[in-house]
Amino acid sequence: MKKLIESLLRQALSALPVSRVPPDARPAEVDVERTRDAAHGDFASNLAMRLAKTTRQNPRALAEALIDALPGHPAVAKTEVAGAGFINFFLKDTAYYDEVARILADSGQYGRSDQGGGRSVLLEFVSANPTGPLHVGHGRHAAYGATLGNLLEAVGYRVTREYYVNDAGRQMEILAVSTWLRYLERCGETLEFPANGYRGDYIATIAGQLHEAVGGELRRAAAEVFSGLPADEPRGGDKDAYIDALIARARALIGTDAFRRVLSVALDDILRDIQQDLGEFGVRFDRWFSERSLEDDGSVDRALAALEKAGHAYRRDGALWFKSSAFGDEKDRVMVRDNGVKTYFASDIAYIFNKLARGFDHLLYVWGADHHGYIARLRAGLVALGGPAGCFEVRLVQFVSLYRGGEKAQMSTRSGEFVTLRDLRREVGNDAARLFYVMRSNDQHLDFDLELATSRSNENPVFYIQYAHARVASVMRQMQGRGLEHDGRQGLARLGLLVEPQEVALMKRLSQYPETVEQAALQRAPHLLVHYLRDLANDFHTNYSAHQLLVDDPALRDARLTLSLAAQTVIRNGLGILGVSAPESM
RNA sequence: GCCCCGGUAGCUCAGUGGAUAGAGCGAAUGCCUCCUAAGCGUUAGGUCGCAGGUUCGAUUCCUGCCCGGGGCACCA
């Protein structure tokens, strides 16, 4: 509907003589917005005021000229010049009736568009290290990324969802050694757990499975394991040096193959858990991309070689550096350490190289806010490899705090006492979790109120929105219980009977849905859709309270039910994008 | 020190180069012989952090400052 007004204005603009508005003064896009005040009509444009600036003409006179040039359209009742030069558009009610008809005809497709023109987007999100279960922060990434993917698809992009599995590198070795130590405890050894190890209970569980599988085969005496190692942090040593020595010792005692096996057992178990968790949460990925595969198939080496060949890499102090400062980063970055070990940055370069090679039009990353310093260097890598900087986009998600009854719930990652995503889902349910996670702007720290998420009142947007949907279903059941039928064609034909202000307000709100989806997708802002649905539910409940739907007059009843079914359709579509269910009863 | 995010009603947060800045909660208060009261209505509540600048017009854009959170590794 907004598009219609924009197109009319564009036609009017191109109809103005060049002498009046030179071509280079004409904006590529005309801005049309919904009015806040009904006295200003339904839509307004500041086009004349913008032209007035560039052409140094009177804005009101320009507005008059534009209105004169405006082609007539059956949906437009009236246009006027107002204020400093606004052009206000008043629509006929029939325009909204047509929109209701479109909603019911398009049904599940209503609100979708081909704005994206089928361009391909690689959306990478979550990508949490497989060193433990997902916690509530990852949950926000999952909900945000999944909703973003749905939004982009709704406006015509081809979206590939990918989870980058960091299954290589030192963190994996720490995971393996942590598992092995718990296994030794299970075998009966007594030991002091390293400060830098993974301490969560899940490690002991995995160690138990390992013990069942291999018995005492990998058991070594604790004295043998720990003799001659440097001091750990609690004893005044360096925890990193200590755990590295411990890893080397483990390798030496049980052999590289067995160490690898322990690593695989732990990794497979944790990854399976993550996949199951996200699956239950309704978050699906097209591909789980293994970091290790990039190393195994030589991609990392090739990417490093490509950078060296292009003259963007150099050696210093025994390390291989990427000259990222030449591409806007604040300083150069190490890719291969002086001990020959590649940094994670090396594989991330290889990964982005891989993404480019797969021919995506756009690379969209969702990262935690703590990774913002990483944006410049990865973009630098992309550009150095010959990729277009414009296709690279990162959206940062701020942190999540849990509140329970006004008290902040504590989380800490290494202690193993964090609140997992699974715990959260069990407590508040998937629907509430999905919606609460995307209710706030991703730029905003999120205070997740556990009590609110489970409360059954209109302050809880989940129940409030779902209830509006269920209420329509309930009325339809009620109608059938009375032996009545709904005549949809009659309803559409008699929408003119809907003259109550609450009914008109509901129709106007419904017509905003396609704009809202588009805006939310293009701004990467799912929270706009949540707010819209809340407002829509409010309009529905208001109308429901003000006017009986199941009235005796069949024509009026059909019209009202038709409008209600349209509202139900839009709510269902919107909740679908959010990954929230639309129940028939509550 | 540098970089990112935030500062809008008592609280949690939307919003925008335009016309009188919004919602929910909380507070006060009204509505069930009637389709789900898991609902609806009414009232009160604001120096859009502060100071400059650009503009016909700034809460919105720019600069500086203040406050809160985060980041500045040959860790992931």
Side-chain angles (χ1 to χ4, degrees):
Chain A
M1 192 169 269
K2 184 177 160 189
K3 292 236 186 297
L4 166 70
I5 305 299
E6 284 172 355
S7 122
L8 293 176
L9 255 184
R10 259 198 304 277
Q11 291 174 50
L13 178 59
S14 49
L16 285 187
V18 177
S19 58
R20 178 127 201 207
V21 179
D24 59 352
R26 302 181 182 211
E29 293 291 321
V30 300
D31 286 332
V32 171
E33 57 183 28
R34 296 266 175 179
T35 57
R36 263 200 291 275
D37 187 337
H40 300 136
D42 296 294
F43 291 90
S45 177
N46 63 356
L47 179 62
M49 289 183 285
R50 287 175 56 194
L51 289 175
K53 184 175 241 163
T54 47
T55 64
R56 307 183 63 82
Q57 293 177 55
N58 181 308
R60 289 190 65 103
L62 272 169
E64 294 286 0
L66 281 166
I67 285 178
D68 287 344
L70 213 52
H73 191 278
V76 180
K78 180 173 79 152
T79 52
E80 65 176 20
V81 180
F86 290 101
I87 301 171
N88 291 339
F89 294 83
F90 293 77
L91 298 192
K92 290 182 187 155
D93 289 345
T94 52
Y96 294 108
Y97 306 156
D98 291 348
E99 198 68 15
V100 170
R102 193 166 301 123
I103 291 168
L104 293 170
D106 292 354
S107 188
Q109 295 298 310
Y110 180 74
R112 302 182 79 87
S113 72
D114 60 355
Q115 165 102 15
R119 284 192 293 279
S120 60
V121 177
L122 180 70
L123 175 62
E124 185 204 326
F125 61 110
V126 187
S127 298
N129 284 347
T131 53
L134 298 176
H135 57 71
V136 294
H138 299 128
R140 188 177 192 192
H141 288 224
Y144 176 74
T147 305
L148 206 49
N150 292 343
L151 279 168
L152 289 169
E153 274 177 353
V155 299
Y157 289 89
R158 287 205 330 269
V159 180
T160 300
R161 299 159 173 84
E162 212 155 279
Y163 186 119
Y164 184 55
V165 182
N166 292 100
D167 53 4
R170 186 160 165 270
Q171 296 304 319
M172 282 296 104
E173 300 186 319
I174 297 176
L175 173 68
V177 84
S178 301
T179 305
W180 185 56
L181 293 175
R182 291 299 186 208
Y183 160 86
L184 293 180
E185 287 180 335
R186 173 66 63 104
C187 292
E189 298 292 332
T190 305
L191 53 87
E192 204 170 317
F193 204 75
N196 215 13
Y198 289 104
R199 316 185 76 90
D201 291 342
Y202 59 93
I203 297 286
T205 306
I206 295 167
Q209 290 162 13
L210 180 65
H211 185 254
E212 275 182 33
V214 305
E217 187 189 329
L218 300 177
R219 179 172 182 175
R220 300 293 182 274
E224 198 182 359
V225 176
F226 291 96
S227 72
L229 294 182
D232 197 3
E233 191 173 72
R235 299 176 188 276
D238 181 86
K239 63 180 180 181
D240 285 308
Y242 178 75
I243 198 118
D244 283 342
L246 201 52
I247 289 166
R249 177 63 52 84
R251 274 222 170 82
L253 289 175
I254 63 174
T256 300
D257 286 349
F259 188 80
R260 184 109 181 171
R261 181 172 173 194
V262 173
L263 193 157
S264 288
V265 167
L267 170 64
D268 291 351
D269 187 274
I270 291 170
L271 197 54
R272 198 164 42 239
D273 175 75
I274 290 174
Q275 288 172 333
Q276 188 188 342
D277 200 8
L278 290 173
E280 288 172 9
F281 198 32
V283 177
R284 318 216 179 276
F285 290 89
D286 298 298
R287 187 166 174 183
W288 298 73
F289 196 103
S290 161
E291 178 187 6
R292 202 159 63 195
S293 72
L294 290 170
E295 181 59 44
D296 292 348
D297 71 6
S299 296
V300 178
D301 290 331
R302 278 198 300 278
L304 298 187
L307 284 175
E308 271 195 285
K309 193 178 173 196
H312 302 317
Y314 62 91
R315 293 190 178 277
R316 194 180 75 201
D317 303 334
L320 182 68
W321 296 70
F322 168 45
K323 211 181 289 178
S324 53
S325 61
F327 300 94
D329 197 7
E330 59 184 16
K331 60 180 189 179
D332 294 345
R333 307 291 172 176
V334 169
M335 296 188 293
V336 184
R337 287 189 266 167
D338 57 5
N339 63 6
V341 178
K342 289 162 191 143
T343 64
Y344 68 107
F345 181 57
S347 45
D348 282 352
I349 290 280
Y351 185 32
I352 203 168
F353 199 34
N354 173 288
K355 287 180 178 177
L356 282 176
R358 281 187 278 160
F360 292 103
D361 296 315
H362 199 72
L363 307 181
L364 182 49
Y365 291 80
V366 177
W367 286 347
D370 55 336
H371 279 62
H372 99 267
Y374 198 65
I375 296 173
R377 76 188 73 162
L378 197 56
R379 180 188 286 118
L382 174 80
V383 174
L385 288 167
C391 76
F392 177 77
E393 177 183 350
V394 179
R395 291 290 157 169
L396 298 178
V397 175
Q398 297 289 330
F399 294 160
V400 179
S401 303
L402 286 184
Y403 284 83
R404 197 188 301 277
E407 289 285 311
K408 190 167 181 171
Q410 286 303 317
M411 294 176 284
S412 71
T413 39
R414 278 295 165 96
S415 71
E417 292 170 11
F418 51 75
V419 181
T420 64
L421 172 60
R422 187 173 275 112
D423 290 341
L424 178 78
R425 294 194 295 105
R426 284 199 183 124
E427 180 161 342
V428 307
N430 286 329
D431 285 343
R434 284 292 295 258
L435 191 130
F436 269 62
Y437 271 136
V438 298
M439 187 165 66
R440 304 290 179 228
S441 160
N442 56 296
D443 283 337
Q444 189 81 235
H445 287 240
L446 175 66
D447 289 335
F448 195 118
D449 187 332
L450 294 163
E451 286 190 351
L452 178 60
T454 48
S455 79
R456 315 181 129 227
S457 69
N458 69 350
E459 67 185 290
N460 182 346
V462 184
F463 283 90
Y464 188 81
I465 296 166
Q466 288 182 323
Y467 182 37
H469 182 272
R471 252 186 165 170
V472 178
S474 170
V475 170
M476 297 307 281
R477 284 192 298 270
Q478 196 79 24
M479 178 197 70
Q480 284 166 350
R482 294 187 197 173
L484 299 172
E485 280 186 10
H486 171 56
D487 183 338
R489 283 180 59 183
Q490 160 93 336
L492 285 175
R494 306 306 292 274
L495 286 173
L497 295 172
L498 304 183
V499 294
E500 299 290 349
Q502 295 87 350
E503 293 168 335
V504 175
L506 180 55
M507 278 189 268
K508 290 188 175 179
R509 182 79 68 187
L510 290 173
S511 72
Q512 292 173 24
Y513 178 70
E515 299 152 37
T516 305
V517 170
E518 184 180 312
Q519 194 185 16
L522 298 185
Q523 294 185 16
R524 324 295 193 222
H527 71 277
L528 296 179
L529 181 56
V530 178
H531 285 270
Y532 169 81
L533 289 175
R534 217 249 156 232
D535 290 341
L536 170 58
N538 183 30
D539 288 335
F540 173 80
H541 288 308
T542 298
N543 183 46
Y544 179 94
S545 300
H547 308 292
Q548 190 84 11
L549 299 179
L550 297 177
V551 290
D552 292 335
D553 174 8
L556 182 60
R557 186 177 66 229
D558 283 335
R560 286 182 170 173
L561 289 176
T562 293
L563 175 59
S564 299
L565 288 170
Q568 188 190 37
T569 299
V570 170
I571 291 172
R572 188 189 305 122
N573 290 357
L575 287 177
I577 287 175
L578 296 175
V580 175
S581 68
E584 296 291 309
S585 67
M586 300 186 69

